[in-house]
């Protein structure tokens, strides 16, 4: 559960002890641009334009690349309004 995963910041445990994989934990906390594209039925270019236009919050840029993720709790309200 999300509550259990929040405890990881305080008491790190292997994900397997929480009954989730690392990917499942990631998916609970983060949203990728690919997920936004699929969920909203838009192109990645539209996601990037929405980010530049302030229709989405600033993302987390992975290793200075063109790979962007958002904290799920931060971006969900924006996606709900879309």
């Amino acid at each position: 559960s999300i509550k259990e995963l929040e405890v990881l910041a305080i008491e790190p445990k292997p994900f397997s002890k929480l009954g989730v994989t690392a990917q499942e934990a990631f998916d609970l906390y983060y949203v990728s641009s690919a997920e936004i594209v699929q969920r909203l039925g838009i192109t990645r270019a539209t996601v990037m334009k929405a980010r530049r236009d302030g229709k989405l919050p600033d993302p987390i840029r992975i290793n200075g690349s063109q790979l962007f993720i958002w904290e799920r709790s931060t971006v969900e309200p924006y996606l709900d309004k879309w």
Side-chain angles (χ1 to χ4, degrees), residues 39-81:
R39 180 171 162 184
L40 299 179
I42 58 176
T43 65
R44 187 171 189 281
T46 301
V47 172
M48 295 300 104
K49 182 173 183 336
R51 180 186 63 83
R52 287 189 304 273
D53 293 347
K55 294 179 182 175
L56 290 173
D58 288 334
I60 299 165
R61 183 178 232 162
I62 306 300
N63 294 330
S65 71
Q66 292 298 312
L67 179 61
F68 298 101
I69 61 173
W70 287 261
E71 288 184 9
R72 189 170 294 279
S73 61
T74 302
V75 78
E76 283 293 339
Y78 292 83
L79 301 179
D80 291 342
K81 290 180 186 176

Side-chain angles (χ1 to χ4, degrees), residues 17-53:
K17 289 193 177 199
L18 296 174
V20 297
T21 65
Q23 183 65 55
E24 290 168 334
F26 177 89
D27 291 343
L28 285 171
Y29 276 117
Y30 299 103
V31 176
S32 66
S33 55
E35 182 179 340
I36 293 172
V37 163
Q38 183 178 24
R39 180 171 162 184
L40 299 179
I42 58 176
T43 65
R44 187 171 189 281
T46 301
V47 172
M48 295 300 104
K49 182 173 183 336
R51 180 186 63 83
R52 287 189 304 273
D53 293 347

